[in-house]
Amino acid sequence: MRIGKQDNATTAIATSDAESITVRGEDLCADLIGKINFTDYFWLLVLGERCTPAQRQMLDACLVAIAEHGLVPSVQAARMTLAAGPEAWQGAMAAGLLGMGSVVAGSSEVSGRYLDEVLRKADADGTDLQAATIASLETLKAAKKKVPGLGHPQHSDGDPRANRLLDIADELGVSGKYVQALRTLAEHAPRIIQRPLPINVSGAIPAVMLDAGWPLEALKAVPLLARTAGLSAHLFEESMRSIGFIMSNQADLAIAYDGKLSGHEAKTR
């Protein structure tokens, strides 16, 4: 049974023969190994062309900014999975990456698509960016929805990672329409939503990466690669001194049961 289109059986990423391996049109052994750093190679793999120095610095900065952020849910899932199956790093890594959705880490993609939507709406309606931004924020407020890319539960005065990434984008001359859209949102959101809403790192990353030339459809690859590095550190530490079951026990102690009681429990309480 055939599912999906059958008329595009090609790939432009890699091929090999008995003598060589070709990746994006370059010889892996002669042109790439020992001659290209991993950030450049990541860009080449995804886009099929080498990045400029400014694009490399911007991508590097984003990867460093979110590689590690403590015992967040995805890290806890990975460490507890490794504690239960210490032989399966791949399973623990997968558990951590699967926890990166629209709320944590994967929120960069959500923010990027929102910025793109605001810009496209401005073009389609023939309005300026400010008018499109205000209209979008008012729509979100009426629907009682969050503003993607703005607000942070801990860094209420401003996410320092976001501020640094935006500064770097300005210094490199990368900042363009997406950074402008993000800053316009941050300018009007507090008044419209009626609470502090600083730019967060999940808003800064897509803004600077899209302006740097990274494709919207591949945005999620950036936080995924970054967190893989952080998860590697946590899994190594977990294998040396495990806290997985300690976290599990603390969770069990922290969560109260409010379901029905058995007959025995009802008598003893």
Side-chain angles (χ1 to χ4, degrees):
M1 178 180 178
R2 293 201 271 178
I3 300 175
K5 293 183 179 180
Q6 303 295 315
D7 59 351
N8 193 29
T10 58
T11 177
I13 299 174
T15 188
S16 63
D17 55 31
E19 289 78 34
S20 66
I21 302 168
T22 300
V23 179
R24 289 299 194 182
E26 303 199 39
D27 187 292
L28 177 63
C29 298
D31 303 328
L32 299 174
I33 298 177
K35 297 182 178 181
I36 188 172
N37 65 49
F38 189 71
T39 302
D40 284 17
Y41 190 42
F42 180 45
W43 191 286
L44 174 64
L45 280 169
V46 177
L47 278 81
E49 59 187 32
R50 295 206 182 209
C51 57
T52 66
Q55 289 171 328
R56 177 195 309 122
Q57 287 179 257
M58 199 70 260
L59 176 54
D60 257 338
C62 290
L63 292 171
V64 170
I66 56 167
E68 173 54 28
H69 200 50
L71 294 171
V72 293
S74 58
V75 169
Q76 293 184 44
R79 293 190 71 141
M80 285 190 275
T81 299
L82 191 68
E87 74 289 347
W89 266 55
Q90 71 278 14
M93 183 71 74
L97 295 178
L98 287 169
M100 295 173 60
S102 60
V103 175
V104 177
S107 52
S108 290
E109 181 186 33
V110 175
S111 300
R113 291 192 180 280
Y114 176 60
L115 291 174
D116 192 63
E117 176 187 313
V118 171
L119 287 167
R120 287 179 181 274
K121 183 68 173 173
D123 288 340
D125 293 347
T127 60
D128 60 24
L129 177 59
Q130 183 161 288
T133 296
I134 291 172
S136 179
L137 288 168
E138 289 174 343
T139 298
L140 289 178
K141 181 183 180 182
K144 297 182 178 180
K145 292 183 178 180
K146 294 181 178 179
V147 183
L150 301 184
H152 196 285
Q154 184 177 11
H155 305 298
S156 57
D157 292 331
D159 188 332
R161 300 166 300 173
N163 296 337
R164 182 62 185 133
L165 289 177
L166 291 171
D167 286 344
I168 292 172
D170 291 342
E171 293 164 10
L172 294 173
V174 166
S175 297
K177 64 180 183 179
Y178 288 98
V179 168
Q180 183 184 2
L182 180 64
R183 284 172 165 156
T184 304
L185 283 165
E187 177 186 351
H188 295 286
R191 174 182 58 81
I192 295 171
I193 309 299
Q194 297 182 331
R195 63 186 178 90
L197 285 173
I199 296 171
N200 60 43
V201 75
S202 293
I205 285 175
V208 301
M209 288 305 301
L210 289 170
D211 276 338
W214 192 260
L216 178 64
E217 294 77 10
L219 265 178
K220 193 173 286 184
V222 177
L224 281 171
L225 180 63
R227 285 298 172 89
T228 297
L231 285 171
S232 297
H234 279 279
L235 294 181
F236 175 61
E237 184 179 70
E238 183 66 25
S239 67
M240 295 293 100
R241 45 177 185 171
S242 179
I243 61 172
F245 286 117
I246 296 173
M247 290 191 294
S248 176
N249 183 58
Q250 289 297 315
D252 187 52
L253 294 174
I255 307 301
Y257 176 76
D258 66 352
K260 294 180 180 179
L261 299 177
S262 67
H264 172 74
E265 288 175 318
K267 291 179 182 179
T268 57
R269 290 193 181 186

